[in-house]
Amino acid sequence: TTLGIDIDLNRSDSFLQVVTLVCEKLGVSERVSDYTLQVVEENQESRCLTEESWIDPEFKILSRQRFLLREKPSVLVTKTKSSLNDTEDKTVIKQVCFSLKTMLTEDAAFAEEFIAQGGMADLMTVIRKSSNVSAGYALSALRSSLNYLSGLEFFTSKQEHVFELYELIGSDATIISRQCLELVFVICSVHAEGFCFCYK
């Protein structure tokens, strides 16, 4: 459920003051510093604002501009990584990996932060250690990460990542084998030295 409010944003206020005001209007009273505003552009694309972008003279607030109050991508990524790394609950890990595919596909700000914080390495750990179902979800999330240039660069920065995928092609689980083969083909097709990289 989305709750809408009308509010006049004062550009002379600091970004934290603006976020605090919006939180108050929406009844959010705890961890206000964990939140940011996401601006929805006319073309329906969105981006998260920061203190720097708020004071950027080129940033203009349009009439009836829409903003979303959301947790900062860094905060959300920290929670996600904690769920992957700090629990032995297989159900939790499976649920997180299942949700990650959508989050990485639909939220570019989250995806870039997830990649920057080493989330793809965490997914590889899940793939190595988890059941076929969780590993399958983690591979789907990994595929979504590779849609970003930063994700492709991170993954191919260490050849052992690709070697691990290559080894998993021989998995007895058909779904794991098929997804790993697909990812190797993706790297071969989109990376500048993909073929040589995968078949050294």
Side-chain angles (χ1 to χ4, degrees), residues 127-170:
I127 293 166
R128 287 195 302 270
K129 297 182 177 181
S130 298
S131 65
N132 291 340
V133 175
S134 295
Y137 289 152
L139 281 165
S140 295
L142 191 67
R143 174 67 178 84
S144 296
S145 299
L146 290 174
N147 288 332
Y148 299 87
L149 178 60
S150 58
L152 185 63
E153 290 176 344
F154 174 86
F155 197 75
T156 55
S157 65
K158 293 185 178 180
Q159 204 164 28
E160 55 262 34
H161 291 159
V162 180
F163 287 164
E164 286 188 69
L165 287 181
Y166 201 81
E167 290 176 354
L168 286 168
I169 292 175

Side-chain angles (χ1 to χ4, degrees), residues 36-75:
T36 188
L37 294 179
Q38 181 170 303
V39 59
V40 182
E41 308 287 2
E42 289 183 319
N43 59 5
Q44 297 305 306
E45 292 185 356
S46 61
R47 62 188 177 97
C48 288
L49 294 178
T50 63
E51 187 70 51
E52 290 74 21
S53 59
W54 178 253
I55 62 177
D56 185 348
E58 294 187 5
F59 172 62
K60 307 295 184 184
I61 298 180
L62 306 176
S63 177
R64 308 301 296 178
Q65 182 82 63
R66 288 199 302 136
F67 295 88
L68 300 176
L69 180 69
R70 58 164 290 172
E71 282 188 306
K72 292 177 180 177
S74 58
V75 173

Side-chain angles (χ1 to χ4, degrees), residues 5 85 88 99 161 165 175:
I5 59 171
N85 299 323
E88 298 296 327
S99 300
H161 291 159
L165 287 181
I175 187 172

Side-chain angles (χ1 to χ4, degrees), residues 70-200:
R70 58 164 290 172
E71 282 188 306
K72 292 177 180 177
S74 58
V75 173
L76 191 54
V77 167
T78 298
K79 290 181 178 179
T80 301
K81 286 172 60 66
S82 177
S83 296
L84 288 176
N85 299 323
D86 299 338
T87 180
E88 298 296 327
D89 191 326
K90 296 179 180 179
T91 301
V92 170
I93 294 174
K94 181 170 67 175
Q95 291 173 340
V96 171
C97 290
F98 178 78
S99 300
L100 265 173
K101 179 182 179 181
T102 301
M103 296 167 70
L104 291 165
T105 301
E106 298 181 355
D107 190 343
F110 170 84
E112 294 288 2
E113 185 69 26
F114 182 78
I115 293 165
Q117 288 195 29
M120 296 178 76
D122 295 332
L123 289 174
M124 289 302 296
T125 299
V126 172
I127 293 166
R128 287 195 302 270
K129 297 182 177 181
S130 298
S131 65
N132 291 340
V133 175
S134 295
Y137 289 152
L139 281 165
S140 295
L142 191 67
R143 174 67 178 84
S144 296
S145 299
L146 290 174
N147 288 332
Y148 299 87
L149 178 60
S150 58
L152 185 63
E153 290 176 344
F154 174 86
F155 197 75
T156 55
S157 65
K158 293 185 178 180
Q159 204 164 28
E160 55 262 34
H161 291 159
V162 180
F163 287 164
E164 286 188 69
L165 287 181
Y166 201 81
E167 290 176 354
L168 286 168
I169 292 175
S171 171
D172 292 335
T174 303
I175 187 172
I176 303 301
S177 177
R178 184 173 64 244
Q179 285 182 280
C180 288
L181 183 61
E182 177 190 350
L183 288 175
V184 169
F185 280 142
V186 167
I187 293 169
C188 284
S189 62
V190 301
H191 192 272
E193 301 179 358
F195 185 84
C196 295
F197 190 86
C198 292
Y199 290 97
K200 280 184 179 179

